[in-house]
């Protein structure tokens, strides 16, 4: 299964548990017989998660692309 490009959306960071205007889905968590759910993190914590062994191989590149886009187009 290939993952599509990351998109930034408002949400709650799973790590710092804070509402944020810029979160990305870093993983899909599947538990038992229930439906899977997305694991969302703010950009700083997504960058940290991308360095772990649990992250998808292309996650670090995609998060870096989002950081570059953010720096090129500041709000």
């Amino acid at each position: 299964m290939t993952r599509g490009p990351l998109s930034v959306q408002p949400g709650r960071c799973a790590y710092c548990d804070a509402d944020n205007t810029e979160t990305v889905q870093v993983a899909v968590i599947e538990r038992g017989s229930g439906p899977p759910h997305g694991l969302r993190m703010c950009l700083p914590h997504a960058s940290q998660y991308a360095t772990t062994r649990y992250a998808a191989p292309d996650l670090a590149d995609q998060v870096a692309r989002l950081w570059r886009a953010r720096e090129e187009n500041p709000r």
Side-chain angles (χ1 to χ4, degrees):
M1 175 193 234
T2 60
R3 77 186 276 134
L6 291 180
S7 62
V8 177
Q9 298 175 355
R12 182 172 286 274
C13 176
Y15 186 83
C16 62
D17 199 32
D19 286 326
N20 199 301
T21 59
E22 297 180 320
T23 64
V24 293
Q25 183 170 317
V26 295
V28 175
I29 308 297
E30 297 186 33
R31 293 186 179 170
S33 62
H37 72 277
L39 179 65
R40 299 194 70 79
M41 292 184 178
C42 60
L43 286 179
H45 290 126
S47 296
Q48 291 175 356
Y49 179 81
T51 64
T52 68
R53 64 184 172 134
Y54 305 108
D58 64 335
L59 183 63
D61 291 335
Q62 291 194 35
V63 171
R65 179 185 53 81
L66 290 174
W67 277 111
R68 282 191 302 274
R70 184 180 189 215
E71 291 170 358
E72 291 170 1
N73 301 315
R75 294 179 184 209

